C-alpha cells in the first residue's frame, strides 16, 4: 500500500510568520484584478481557494494541497489568475516585475479550443487499454481518433471571434485538428479584450524576460469556443541548472579540471560499481543484442522509439560510437538512425559536449541507454527549444504536430524532463492530457521520469528569504509533471544493483551500502500523489489517496556509466531509468510486431492488474524525503510492501513482463533468448 507520509500533503496553515514571509515575497508582484480566478476543466481535482491576508489575526485561510490557480465560476466565463502561492514560487525562482508593458508591443497568445467528443474518446481508450476487454489493444488509426474528436467547428468559431474582436488581431497558427488557435496583437488589444494588464517579468540569473498578466477573463464572444489561454498567466518551469555531479563550463574553465575518466575500466575500478547495458541485462533478465544479420536483429529493428530533448541539449555521435564499442553494441545503419523521421528537429554535436559536459549530459544519457537496451530499434531524438517566452506553447504545438496529428507515430516516447505540478497551467495540462489520450488510443507507450528531488520536487532546492522547505506548508509536497499524467508510465529509481546488492530506493541520504563499496547517490527518486489527475481506476486497491499515485515502477538509477566529450563518468537519475524502461518496451514490441500482434501500448492497467511477485520484485527499503545532493529534507514517503509512492510496484522481471505482455500465450520469440 501507499508509503507513510512524513509531511502532510495538505493542511490548514495558520502561521502568521510564514504568511508575512509570503507577503514580503509578493511585495512587488502585481495583484490580480478584482473578479474571478480559474474555472477548471471537467475532471480536474480540487476546489480549494486560499485567501492570504497577513493582517488577519488567524494569519490566513487553508493552503492548497497542491498549488492550483484559485477557482470560481462567475458568469461561466473561462478565467485564470496567478495565485499568491504561485507568485511566491516565481519570486523564489528568480522572477521579478521589470515594467508595465508598452501597449504597442506585439504579443502572441495561444487559445485552447473547446473540445468535443472527449468522453467518447475516454470511453474508447478505457476499452482499448483494459486487459479484460474484448477490444484490448485494438488500437485506433489516426483517422479513427480524429473522427471522434474532430473540432474544426469550434476552431472556426474561435478564429472568427478573435478576428472580429479587433482589427489588430491576426491568426498566426492553427493546429491541424483544431486544438489550438494562436493569434498575435499589440499588448493594448489583449489588455482590452481580456480585461487585464500585462507586465514584463525578468529573470536576473538567466537574463530572460517574458510578458505576462496577473489574470484574464475571456469576453462573451470567445467564451463559447475557448477554454483557456497560454501566454497570459503561465511562466516557464522552475528548473534546476544542471545534472548533479556533472561539471559546468565555469568549473572546467576556472582550473585545469579534467572531468571523468579516460576509459570505462578506470571509471568502474574507481567507483567500485557502475550501471552498464550488460549489468541491466543481468539484473532484469534482458536479452543481449541480437547478432547482426540474424532474423532476431531484423525483428528488433521494427519498433520506433523516441527520446525527448530540450534545454539546449545535444547528443554526440562520437560519444555514442565510443559507448557502442565498449559494450559490443552493433555499429551499423540500424543504430545510426538517430533522427528517423525527426531529422529536421534534432540536435547533435561533438564540440558542444567537450566545451561543457552539461550541454550533453541528459541527451547522451537518454540516447546511450535507450539504444543500449534496444540497439536495433529505430531511435529518434525529438528536440523542442527550451521553455522561455513561448516555450510551453512551442512544446505542446510541436508535440501535437510531430506525433498526435501525424499519420505515423512512434511506438514508445520517453521523457526525462519535468516540472513541479504547481507550475502547470490549466491550458498546458488540458492540452497534454488530450494529446496523451489520443496517442494512447493509437497504441503509443508514454514514459516519463518521476523526478530527482524526492517527494518535494526540485522546489526543495529553492530558498525564500534564506529558508528551505518554505513552500510545503503553503502547497504541500509536489509531484513532477508530465510523469503525474494518468496516460504516462512514471519511472522511479533504485540503487544497489551497481554493486551487486539487493535494490533499495535510490536516495541521496541512503547509506545502507556505504560499507559494501557503494556510495551516496546524488539524487532521490521522486514520487507522491497528483492534485490535477484523479486516482485512475487501475490504481484502486493500491492506495487510498484521491490523486494519481506515482511512480508506477522503478529500475536502477544510480551510477550509470556514460560517455560525454570522450570522457567516462557516472550519473544518477530517474532520467536514466526512464529511457532504459523505454528500451525494454521496444524489445517487447519487437516480438509482438514480429508475431503480427499490436504494440503493447499503454502499460499501467496491465501492470497494476498483474502486480505479482513473479512480475515485480517489491522494494521495501528506503524513502524519498530528501532532495538531490542530500538536502534539504522536506518530507516524503517510505517504501513498504506493495505499491508505494517511492518505487511504485517495484522493479520488473523482464522475461515475465514480456510474457505478461503477450496475452495470446507464450511471448513470441521468447524461447530464442534462452
Amino acid at each position: 500500500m501507499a508509503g507513510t507520509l512524513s509531511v502532510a500533503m495538505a493542511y490548514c496553515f495558520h502561521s502568521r510568520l510564514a504568511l508575512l514571509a509570503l507577503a514580503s515575497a509578493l511585495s512587488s508582484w502585481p495583484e490580480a484584478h478584482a473578479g474571478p480566478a480559474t474555472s477548471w476543466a471537467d475532471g480536474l481535482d480540487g476546489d480549494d481557494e486560499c485567501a492570504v491576508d497577513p493582517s488577519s489575526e488567524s494569519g490566513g485561510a487553508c493552503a492548497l494541497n497542491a498549488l492550483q490557480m484559485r477557482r470560481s465560476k462567475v458568469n461561466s466565463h473561462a478565467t485564470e489568475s496567478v495565485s499568491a502561492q504561485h507568485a511566491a514560487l516565481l519570486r523564489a525562482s528568480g522572477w521579478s516585475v521589470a515594467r508595465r508593458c508598452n501597449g504597442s508591443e506585439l504579443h502572441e497568445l495561444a487559445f485552447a479550443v473547446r473540445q468535443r467528443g472527449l468522453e467518447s474518446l475516454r470511453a474508447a481508450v478505457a476499452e482499448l487499454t483494459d486487459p479484460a476487454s474484448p477490444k484490448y489493444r485494438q488500437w485506433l488509426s489516426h483517422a479513427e481518433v480524429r473522427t471522434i474528436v474532430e473540432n474544426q467547428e469550434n476552431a472556426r468559431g474561435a478564429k472568427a471571434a478573435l478576428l472580429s474582436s479587433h482589427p489588430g488581431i491576426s491568426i498566426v497558427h492553427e493546429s491541424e485538428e483544431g486544438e489550438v488557435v494562436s493569434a498575435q496583437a499589440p499588448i493594448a488589444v489583449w489588455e482590452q479584450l481580456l480585461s487585464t494588464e500585462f507586465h514584463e517579468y525578468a529573470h536576473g540569473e538567466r537574463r530572460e524576460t517574458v510578458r505576462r498578466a496577473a489574470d484574464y477573463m475571456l469576453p462573451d464572444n470567445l467564451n463559447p469556443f475557448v477554454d483557456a489561454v497560454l501566454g497570459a498567466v503561465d511562466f516557464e518551469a522552475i528548473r534546476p541548472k544542471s545534472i548533479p555531479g556533472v561539471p559546468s563550463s565555469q568549473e572546467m574553465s576556472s582550473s585545469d579540471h579534467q572531468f571523468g575518466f579516460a576509459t570505462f575500466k578506470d571509471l568502474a575500478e574507481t567507483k567500485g560499481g557502475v550501471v552498464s547495458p550488460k549489468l541491466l541485462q543481468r539484473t532484469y533478465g534482458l536479452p543481449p543484442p541480437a547478432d547482426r544479420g540474424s532474423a532476431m536483429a531484423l525483428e528488433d529493428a521494427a519498433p520506433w522509439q523516441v527520446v525527448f530533448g530540450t534545454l539546449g541539449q545535444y547528443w554526440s555521435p562520437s560519444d555514442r560510437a565510443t559507448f557502442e564499442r565498449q559494450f559490443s553494441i552493433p555499429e551499423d545503419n540500424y543504430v545510426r538512425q538517430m533522427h528517423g523521421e525527426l531529422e529536421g528537429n534534432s540536435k547533435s554535436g561533438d564540440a558542444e559536449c567537450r566545451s561543457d559536459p552539461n550541454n550533453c549530459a541528459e541527451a547522451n544519457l537518454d540516447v546511450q541507454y535507450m539504444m543500449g537496451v534496444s540497439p536495433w530499434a529505430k531511435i529518434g531524438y525529438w528536440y523542442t527549444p527550451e521553455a522561455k517566452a513561448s516555450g510551453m506553447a512551442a512544446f505542446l504545438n510541436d508535440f501535437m504536430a510531430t506525433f498526435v496529428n501525424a499519420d505515423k507515430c512512434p511506438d514508445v516516447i520517453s521523457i526525462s524532463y519535468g516540472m513541479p505540478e504547481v507550475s502547470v497551467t490549466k491550458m498546458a495540462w488540458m492540452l497534454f492530457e488530450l494529446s496523451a489520450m489520443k496517442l494512447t488510443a493509437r497504441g503509443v507507450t508514454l514514459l516519463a521520469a518521476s523526478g530527482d528531488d524526492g517527494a518535494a520536487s526540485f522546489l526543495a532546492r529553492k530558498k525564500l528569504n534564506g529558508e528551505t522547505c518554505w513552500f510545503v506548508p503553503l502547497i504541500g509536497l509536489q509531484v513532477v509533471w508530465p510523469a503525474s499524467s494518468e496516460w504516462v508510465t512514471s519511472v522511479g529509481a533504485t540503487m544497489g544493483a551497481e554493486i551487486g546488492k539487493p535494490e533499495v530506493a535510490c536516495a541521496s541520504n541512503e547509506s545502507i551500502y556505504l560499507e559494501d563499496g557503494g556510495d551516496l547517490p546524488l539524487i532521490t527518486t521522486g514520487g507522491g500523489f497528483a492534485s490535477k489527475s484523479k486516482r485512475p481506476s487501475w490504481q484502486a486497491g493500491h492506495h487510498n489517496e484521491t490523486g494519481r499515485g506515482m511512480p508506477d515502477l522503478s529500475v536502477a538509477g544510480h551510477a550509470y556509466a556514460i560517455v560525454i566529450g570522450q570522457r567516462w563518468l557516472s550519473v544518477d537519475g530517474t532520467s536514466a531509468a526512464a529511457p532504459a524502461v523505454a528500451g525494454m518496451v521496444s524489445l517487447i514490441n519487437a516480438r509482438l510486431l514480429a508475431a503480427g500482434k499490436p504494440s503493447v501500448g499503454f502499460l499501467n492497467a496491465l501492470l497494476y492488474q498483474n502486480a505479482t511477485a513473479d512480475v515485480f520484485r517489491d522494494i521495501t527499503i528506503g524513502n524519498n524525503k530528501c532532495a538531490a545532493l542530500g538536502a534539504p529534507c522536506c518530507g516524503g514517503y517510505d517504501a513498504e510492501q506493495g505499491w508505494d509512492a517511492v518505487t511504485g510496484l517495484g522493479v520488473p522481471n523482464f522475461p515475465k513482463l514480456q510474457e505478461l505482455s503477450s496475452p495470446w500465450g507464450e511471448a513470441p520469440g521468447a524461447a530464442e533468448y534462452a
Side-chain angles (χ1 to χ4, degrees):
M1 298 301 292
T4 304
L5 176 62
S6 67
V7 172
M9 281 293 289
Y11 46 85
C12 283
F13 178 56
H14 298 290
S15 167
R16 181 175 178 83
L17 180 62
L19 281 167
L20 288 173
L22 176 60
S24 174
L26 297 173
S27 59
S28 64
W29 207 270
E31 294 184 359
H33 284 55
T38 298
S39 174
W40 288 85
D42 291 341
L44 205 58
D45 259 1
D47 55 1
D48 308 277
E49 187 166 354
C50 187
V52 178
D53 181 7
S55 65
S56 166
E57 288 300 320
S58 65
C62 286
L64 302 177
N65 80 324
L67 192 143
Q68 300 177 351
M69 305 295 182
R70 291 169 295 174
R71 56 180 285 168
S72 65
K73 295 182 179 179
V74 179
N75 299 325
S76 300
H77 280 216
T79 61
E80 200 165 0
S81 68
V82 177
S83 71
Q85 294 94 332
H86 198 176
L89 293 174
L90 293 168
R91 292 269 303 183
S93 69
W95 290 103
S96 61
V97 180
R99 63 178 177 86
R100 173 74 187 274
C101 288
N102 187 306
S104 63
E105 297 176 50
L106 291 177
H107 185 64
E108 183 176 321
L109 295 176
F111 296 83
V113 178
R114 289 207 167 153
Q115 299 296 299
R116 58 173 290 275
L118 292 184
E119 290 307 312
S120 297
L121 179 61
R122 179 177 284 274
V125 170
E127 288 189 300
L128 296 170
T129 58
D130 182 1
S133 168
K135 294 185 178 180
Y136 182 50
R137 291 189 193 163
Q138 295 181 22
W139 308 123
L140 304 181
S141 67
H142 177 212
E144 289 171 325
V145 172
R146 187 169 185 167
T147 298
I148 297 174
V149 294
E150 189 276 328
N151 200 42
Q152 294 303 324
E153 183 177 348
N154 277 355
R156 287 192 294 269
K159 288 191 295 182
L162 284 166
L163 293 174
S164 64
S165 297
H166 194 281
I169 297 176
S170 60
I171 305 298
V172 295
H173 174 77
E174 179 185 356
S175 62
E176 182 181 340
E177 296 181 8
E179 303 98 336
V180 177
V181 172
S182 297
Q184 187 180 71
I187 287 289
V189 173
W190 292 135
E191 290 183 335
Q192 180 182 3
L193 185 68
L194 301 177
S195 303
T196 190
E197 293 179 356
F198 277 83
H199 289 77
E200 182 178 277
Y201 296 83
H203 195 288
E205 185 179 345
R206 296 201 297 270
R207 298 184 180 180
E208 298 171 8
T209 60
V210 295
R211 301 187 194 98
R212 291 296 184 266
D215 61 1
Y216 69 81
M217 181 191 299
L218 289 176
D220 291 339
N221 65 333
L222 270 180
N223 196 61
F225 308 109
V226 172
D227 274 325
V229 182
L230 199 62
V233 299
D234 52 284
F235 283 74
E236 66 146 280
I238 306 164
R239 56 181 169 86
K241 302 177 191 176
S242 59
I243 293 180
V246 177
S248 67
S249 57
Q250 290 83 359
E251 291 172 318
M252 295 180 64
S253 62
S254 63
S255 66
D256 294 329
H257 178 74
Q258 176 75 303
F259 74 95
F261 298 86
T263 67
F264 170 74
K265 180 180 179 182
D266 292 339
L267 170 66
E269 289 178 349
T270 303
K271 284 285 294 182
V274 292
V275 173
S276 68
K278 291 184 178 180
L279 184 135
L280 293 176
Q281 292 165 16
R282 295 194 301 270
T283 302
Y284 303 114
L286 304 176
D291 293 335
R292 181 181 289 104
S294 67
M296 188 68 71
L298 292 175
E299 291 180 4
D300 285 351
W304 180 17
Q305 53 189 4
V306 167
V307 292
F308 168 66
T310 188
L311 300 181
Q313 283 287 295
Y314 291 80
W315 66 271
S316 165
S318 64
D319 288 345
R320 185 196 67 189
T322 298
F323 186 86
E324 290 171 331
R325 287 191 291 271
Q326 175 62 48
F327 300 117
S328 303
I329 297 171
E331 297 180 68
D332 53 29
N333 290 333
Y334 287 112
V335 179
R336 291 193 185 102
Q337 292 180 18
M338 294 302 305
H339 304 297
E341 274 91 328
L342 309 180
E343 187 168 2
N345 193 27
S346 61
K347 296 179 73 172
S348 64
D350 295 327
E352 291 81 2
C353 303
R354 294 188 177 95
S355 63
D356 184 349
N358 275 292
N359 288 338
C360 301
E362 189 59 65
N364 271 11
L365 171 64
D366 291 352
V367 166
Q368 289 170 19
Y369 275 89
M370 178 180 274
M371 178 197 64
V373 172
S374 181
W376 293 103
K378 295 183 288 292
I379 181 168
Y381 181 61
W382 166 47
Y383 184 85
T384 293
E386 62 184 290
K388 291 186 179 179
S390 61
M392 182 56 71
F395 164 74
L396 292 167
N397 281 325
D398 194 36
F399 189 57
M400 289 184 289
T402 305
F403 304 122
V404 181
N405 297 335
D407 288 332
K408 182 181 179 183
C409 53
D411 302 295
V412 182
I413 301 174
S414 178
I415 301 174
S416 290
Y417 299 79
M419 64 183 74
E421 191 184 40
V422 57
S423 55
V424 184
T425 64
K426 171 184 175 180
M427 178 171 171
W429 185 87
M430 288 167 52
L431 287 178
F432 184 84
E433 292 298 292
L434 172 63
S435 298
M437 186 161 52
K438 288 181 177 181
L439 289 174
T440 298
R442 296 175 62 184
V444 178
T445 305
L446 295 168
L447 302 107
S450 69
D452 293 341
D453 283 278
S457 81
F458 49 74
L459 289 177
R461 286 189 261 164
K462 297 290 183 182
K463 293 183 179 181
L464 179 64
N465 297 333
E467 296 295 324
T468 59
C469 304
W470 59 273
F471 60 92
V472 178
L474 294 173
I475 62 173
L477 301 174
Q478 282 292 301
V479 294
V480 169
W481 177 91
S484 61
S485 167
E486 69 172 296
W487 308 111
V488 171
T489 297
S490 174
V491 183
T494 63
M495 57 182 284
E498 70 283 353
I499 56 171
K501 294 292 183 179
E503 290 173 88
V504 301
C506 185
S508 60
N509 64 332
E510 182 55 75
S511 60
I512 186 172
Y513 291 134
L514 288 182
E515 296 182 359
D516 297 304
D519 59 359
L520 289 175
L522 297 176
I523 66 102
T524 297
T525 186
F529 300 93
S531 63
K532 287 182 168 65
S533 296
K534 296 179 181 178
R535 182 185 65 210
S537 59
W538 34 264
Q539 279 195 331
H542 292 275
H543 67 81
N544 297 320
E545 300 293 331
T546 58
R548 184 259 205 268
M550 56 174 281
D552 299 306
L553 78 165
S554 297
V555 297
H558 174 45
Y560 270 62
I562 64 171
V563 185
I564 306 179
Q566 292 301 295
R567 302 286 294 179
W568 286 89
L569 67 161
S570 68
V571 297
D572 300 346
T574 56
S575 57
V581 173
M584 296 181 195
V585 175
S586 288
L587 292 175
I588 292 172
N589 280 336
R591 304 284 77 76
L592 293 173
L593 296 175
K597 305 297 183 181
S599 61
V600 67
F602 185 65
L603 289 173
N604 295 358
L606 178 69
L607 299 182
Y608 281 88
Q609 289 184 24
N610 296 274
T612 58
D614 60 337
V615 179
F616 288 100
R617 185 164 63 253
D618 199 6
I619 305 299
T620 59
I621 297 176
N623 65 75
N624 58 8
K625 299 174 185 177
C626 297
L629 306 177
C633 299
C634 298
Y637 306 86
D638 293 307
E640 58 184 37
Q641 187 174 2
W643 181 90
D644 54 64
V646 183
T647 59
L649 296 169
V651 296
N653 176 342
F654 179 77
K656 290 295 183 181
L657 183 62
Q658 184 178 42
E659 183 179 333
L660 173 65
S661 302
S662 300
W664 305 277
E666 182 182 3
E672 299 182 53
Y673 283 138

